[in-house]
Amino acid sequence: MREAAQHFINKTIPQQRAAGRPQPAMRDINPPPPSAAPARPAPEAEPPHAAPNPATHPAEFAQDILTRMGINVDLQANLERAIDLGARRHPTPVQPPADGAQFLSGSYTNHAGTRNYKLYIPASYHGQAMPLLVMLHGCTQNPDDFAAGTQMNQLAEEMGCFVVYPEQNANANHSKCWNWFNAIDQQRGQGEPSIIAGIAQQIIEDYPVNERQVYVAGLSAGGAMAVIVGTLYPELFAAVGVHSGLPFASAQDLPSALTAMKRGVHRAAKAGNGSQPIIVFHGDSDTTVNPVNGEQVMAQRLHHHRGARPLVQSGAVPNGYRYTQTTHTTADGTPVGEHWVVHGAGHAWSGGSTSGSYTDAKGPDASREMLRFFRTVS
């Protein structure tokens, strides 16, 4: 994700509905509030010397402000260095699903825009109700790459669940990062959270999903967006998984995004009602998103559970990293959160496969542990 200097830009392009499946009319489950202006209106032509619109051109707006202040800093170049996740790998070859399984392409549209997705249906599915996991990829990734790296489809076969991978597109963000730092993308019924929630709802309408077992998880920018989506839609998502992500509303523009990634947030905003359990993974050698962000994600959620009791355990992966697992439970033993710190790991999915990008097999299996946690708290 070296290109992620272009991390955060405009949104929306129509794309196709599920290939090879009936195409029912798509219903917008998150219509704009009656008094609200349409999300992301097409930008009007601006006078030659007008300041860029911060809603439609946040990168240009931030750079213009610095220039007007006489600060000679190339914001995009600095952001590129900050979000350097290593050399971009070759496109991941599409892995065929297990015998009898399906990996279907689909699309969802509402007032905020359109996003494609891929849905994994395990071979064990024969019409019975199953859990649903929404997986949000990191920058420069796509559903095939993320599925290959996390190996979540293989675990879906083992544990019996649907997995849907929403896909960010380059028109919405040059580096295909979810726009977690934009104000409109931190609001219920607006922006990308409404699209992601809409995708989950569309799967629920199309398949017999166990609606008490719908979860969202993500990596990096996807992890930050998972926190946002879970916070905004607590009635839809029963629990949240965050890998190398950031707290809810931790940035409002490019400069504050850069600061949060490098130093954490000065004061994390209160997030939702805290009813959702959360599991957090973060490498303590992560130089892209400071590990303090993982601590702040947990603190933000535990703000609603001041009586939670921590239980700390340590372990190690054979020939791999050591880790510290802290489980927070209420007085009656109900788990409300788990925080995994992987010692020596950088900005990569812990325990992942090299068949996908930005993974590190030497750590504990984040995919398996997330699914185990979700099943435990349901």
Side-chain angles (χ1 to χ4, degrees), residues 6 55 73 78 81 90 119 141 177 188-189 223 229 260-261 297 310 357:
Q6 294 298 328
V73 173
N78 278 273
R81 287 190 290 271
H90 296 294
L119 171 66
Q141 294 182 310
C177 309
R188 182 182 174 95
V229 175
M261 290 168 61
V297 171
S357 61

Side-chain angles (χ1 to χ4, degrees), residues 215-216 223-235 237-242 246-249 268-280 293-308 328 330 335-339 373-374 377:
Y215 316 108
V216 60
M225 185 55 73
V227 173
I228 293 171
V229 175
T231 298
L232 297 178
Y233 295 90
E235 80 287 355
F237 297 102
V240 179
V242 185
L246 299 98
F248 176 79
K270 295 180 181 179
N273 58 18
S275 61
Q276 295 159 311
I278 192 166
I279 180 168
V280 175
N293 283 283
E295 298 172 9
Q296 292 178 334
V297 171
M298 289 300 307
Q300 192 177 59
R301 190 55 54 95
L302 293 174
H303 173 80
H304 302 276
H305 300 282
R306 296 185 181 276
H328 299 270
T330 59
V336 294
E338 281 188 13
H339 185 197
F373 178 77
F374 294 155
V377 300

Side-chain angles (χ1 to χ4, degrees), residues 2-9 59 76 79-80 173-175 177:
R2 190 175 293 275
E3 303 86 288
Q6 294 298 328
H7 218 39
F8 322 107
I9 318 227
Q76 295 287 353
L79 193 59
E80 180 174 0
N173 183 289
H174 179 76
S175 295
C177 309

Side-chain angles (χ1 to χ4, degrees), residues 4 10 34 52 54 128 142 171 179 191 212 216 251 299 308 362:
N10 318 325
Q128 75 275 28
N142 60 39
N171 282 28
N179 291 293
R212 294 185 178 181
V216 60
K362 295 190 296 183

Side-chain angles (χ1 to χ4, degrees), residues 130-187:
M130 293 197 302
L132 169 64
L133 173 61
V134 178
M135 287 284 284
L136 303 177
H137 63 73
C139 299
T140 78
Q141 294 182 310
N142 60 39
D144 291 306
D145 180 19
F146 199 39
T150 61
Q151 300 286 280
M152 198 61 83
N153 290 355
Q154 287 83 339
L155 287 172
E157 284 291 343
E158 179 182 328
M159 299 187 180
C161 66
F162 301 111
V163 187
V164 65
Y165 301 84
E167 181 174 15
Q168 180 65 299
N169 61 54
N171 282 28
N173 183 289
H174 179 76
S175 295
K176 300 186 69 176
C177 309
W178 296 101
N179 291 293
W180 54 274
F181 66 97
N182 279 342
I184 198 169
D185 296 303
Q186 298 169 5
Q187 300 177 40

Side-chain angles (χ1 to χ4, degrees), residues 42-66:
E44 297 180 358
E46 297 173 328
H49 302 292
N53 187 329
T56 58
H57 296 79
E60 292 87 343
F61 176 78
Q63 187 66 64
D64 181 71
I65 291 296
L66 292 176

Side-chain angles (χ1 to χ4, degrees), residues 62-72:
Q63 187 66 64
D64 181 71
I65 291 296
L66 292 176
T67 301
R68 289 169 182 264
M69 294 174 65
I71 301 174
N72 186 24

